[in-house]
Amino acid sequence: MSRLWITGTALIAAIATLKTCLVMHFALSPAQATPLVLGALFVAFFMLTTGVAVLAYGQVKRNLNSERRRRMAPGASEPVAKETVIARYAQDWALSQAEADVAIFVAKGFSNSEIADMRGSALSTVKSQLGSIYTKSGLGSHYQLMAFVTDEVCAMAKEAEQAPAAPARIDTRKVLPLVGRARRAAPARDAQDLNHRAAG
């Protein structure tokens, strides 16, 4: 943090110096450019630039906080859940649907082989998708992704406590990808449907 302040102060001083030099060169005669006048100009420009920087920083911080609250606040149909976090960040990270599905499984703590089994895909495919997820998100491992999602869920829950809303329900079958299970369960459902139609 102190490094940021030092860098910011140096940048403001450089801008104030540049403005003072420009005024000295274009607006003051050599007789008027006394050290006292130049010092006063520098202090005035330094204070003005500092004021503008503080206002700009405050506005950017407010905008970022507002965007974070908007992103994390659960909507009417979105509960505070790991699926919600992945669904919201998938667009920012430009994840494909398959990568978002894999990210949800990782956030829930499944291993690569478990994810491959549940998705009905090869282990190498899951590893390739994970590599893409880590590259796009800037997170380096299972643990970093899990920690990130957990932190976001906690922040969302805290936001929800501060502004209580009606409890939201969600059909996890719509959010949680179970491609492999859906394939195995499909023949049983088809047989049940045929039996039901025949009985009706």
Side-chain angles (χ1 to χ4, degrees):
M1 189 67 174
S2 61
R3 191 175 194 179
L4 179 65
W5 282 107
I6 291 169
T7 304
T9 304
L11 183 60
I12 290 170
I15 292 170
T17 302
L18 178 63
K19 289 178 180 179
T20 303
C21 290
L22 289 173
V23 168
M24 182 184 74
H25 184 71
F26 292 108
L28 298 177
S29 66
Q32 293 173 321
T34 63
L36 183 63
V37 170
L38 294 178
L41 281 172
F42 175 81
V43 169
F45 284 134
F46 187 88
M47 291 174 62
L48 285 171
T49 306
T50 301
V52 170
V54 167
L55 289 174
Y57 175 78
Q59 186 61 43
V60 168
K61 189 172 182 180
R62 277 192 298 276
N63 288 344
L64 289 174
N65 287 339
S66 174
E67 176 63 22
R68 180 179 172 83
R69 280 194 299 273
R70 183 197 61 75
R71 184 196 303 266
M72 292 188 316
S77 63
E78 289 184 295
V80 177
K82 293 178 180 180
E83 293 89 346
T84 307
V85 174
I86 297 297
R88 290 183 179 186
Y89 279 92
Q91 187 174 1
D92 291 348
W93 295 340
L95 299 183
S96 68
Q97 184 59 52
E99 290 167 349
D101 292 348
V102 170
I104 289 172
F105 281 124
V106 170
K108 288 185 167 291
F110 291 103
S111 68
N112 292 356
S113 57
E114 289 171 327
I115 295 170
D117 181 53
M118 285 186 286
R119 287 187 49 75
S121 59
L123 182 60
S124 59
T125 303
V126 172
K127 287 182 178 179
S128 173
Q129 290 166 333
L130 283 170
S132 180
I133 291 166
Y134 298 148
T135 299
K136 292 176 180 180
S137 67
L139 301 168
S141 67
H142 266 66
Y143 303 110
Q144 286 184 8
L145 179 58
M146 290 168 67
F148 173 81
V149 172
T150 302
D151 288 346
E152 290 295 306
V153 168
C154 291
M156 288 168 65
K158 186 175 179 182
E159 292 286 332
E161 286 174 8
Q162 292 173 354
R169 294 185 178 268
I170 192 164
D171 184 0
T172 56
R173 289 175 295 180
K174 293 180 181 176
V175 177
L176 184 61
L178 297 173
V179 177
R181 291 182 189 175
R183 286 183 188 151
R184 290 191 289 271
R189 279 198 308 271
D190 292 343
Q192 288 175 352
D193 289 341
L194 288 174
N195 290 340
H196 181 65
R197 289 181 189 158

